[in-house]
Amino acid sequence: MWLEIGSVTAFVAAAGTLVAAAAGGITEPTGVAAVVAVITTVAAYGIAPLLITFAMRQSALSSWWAVAAALFAAGLWTAVGLLFAVPAALETAPALLAALVTSAPSASALWLVVASVEVVRAGVHRWSLVFISAFVAVLIIGSVFIELSGFDVREVLVPLGWAAWMIDVGRALRSPLAPVVEPPAPVVVETRCANCGAPRRTDGLAFCSSCGLPYGSQRT
C-alpha cells in the first residue's frame, strides 16, 4: 500500500513540477499565476519528497538519512511559501527570503541524490535515478554560484529533470524488487580415501591408488 501511495505522489509531483514551471515562467507572474506557481512549487519540491520518502521508509526502501533530508527540504520550502503568503514579511525580511530561496532548491537537490542512492541500495536497480538526480543536483547547485545572462536554460532543464525523476521513481516503486541472490554453498571435497585413509590422488582419477576402491566407498 505504501509503495502505491509513494508512486501516485511521485506522478502527481511530476505534473505539479511542470505546472509550476509553466506558471512561474510567465513574465512577472501576478495574481492567480503567482499563487499557482508558489503552491505547486512548494508541493512538488518540498511536500511531495517528504511523502515519497515516508512511503519508502515504511516499505524499507530508505533510511532515516533520506527522511532527514526530506524534512529539511520540506521545512525550507514551507517557510518560503509562508513568506509569500504574508506580503508584509517580504518587506520586513528581504534577506531572509533571499536566503530561503537560495537554500531550499539546494536542500531538494541533496534529497534527490540521497533518495536515489537509497532506492538503488534497497534493491530497486534503477541507475537512471542516480544519473538524473546527479544531473539535476548539479544544475540546481550550479545556479546558486553561476549566473547566466539572458535566457537561463537551467530554468527549463531543472523542472524537466525533476519531473523525469519523479516519473521514473513512480514506475520503480510499482516494479518488484530485485531478488536477493544467495551465494552457492561451498562444495566439501573429501581429501582422503574413506576406506584406507590414503591421501587423495592428484592425477584426477576417481579411485584410490592404495586400495583401489572408488573414493567415498568402503569395503564391507
Side-chain angles (χ1 to χ4, degrees):
M1 181 185 71
W2 286 108
L3 291 181
E4 294 180 0
I5 294 175
S7 178
V8 172
T9 303
F11 289 128
V12 173
T17 303
L18 299 179
V19 172
I26 301 175
T27 303
E28 296 182 0
T30 57
V32 177
V35 173
V36 171
V38 172
I39 293 177
T40 51
T41 299
V42 172
Y45 292 93
I47 306 303
L50 182 60
L51 296 178
I52 294 171
T53 308
F54 183 76
M56 291 192 299
R57 176 60 186 172
Q58 293 297 109
S59 304
L61 292 182
S62 68
S63 65
W64 288 109
W65 290 108
V67 176
L71 283 171
F72 182 56
L76 291 179
W77 280 111
T78 302
V80 171
L82 291 176
L83 285 178
F84 275 101
V86 183
L90 298 178
E91 300 176 359
T92 58
L96 176 60
L97 176 63
L100 289 175
V101 171
T102 302
S103 302
S106 300
S108 296
L110 173 64
W111 169 82
L112 200 67
V113 175
V114 173
S116 302
V117 174
E118 290 294 330
V119 169
V120 172
R121 286 182 57 189
V124 182
H125 293 168
R126 288 288 187 99
W127 289 102
S128 58
L129 294 174
V130 179
F131 298 143
I132 295 175
S133 66
F135 175 72
V136 174
V138 169
L139 291 178
I140 292 177
I141 297 176
S143 63
V144 177
F145 301 99
I146 303 175
E147 294 184 3
L148 300 180
S149 59
F151 175 71
D152 192 348
V153 70
R154 294 172 298 192
E155 296 181 0
V156 177
L157 294 179
V158 169
L160 290 179
W162 190 274
W165 189 92
M166 287 293 176
I167 293 174
D168 199 9
V169 78
R171 295 175 56 191
L173 294 179
R174 291 178 178 269
S175 62
L177 298 180
V180 178
V181 180
E182 296 183 359
V187 179
V188 179
V189 180
E190 293 290 340
T191 58
R192 291 183 174 275
C193 176
N195 181 62
C196 65
R200 193 178 185 89
R201 301 177 63 154
T202 58
D203 54 9
L205 296 179
F207 56 88
C208 178
S209 59
S210 178
C211 62
L213 292 179
Y215 288 114
S217 60
Q218 294 179 338
R219 285 197 178 94
T220 56

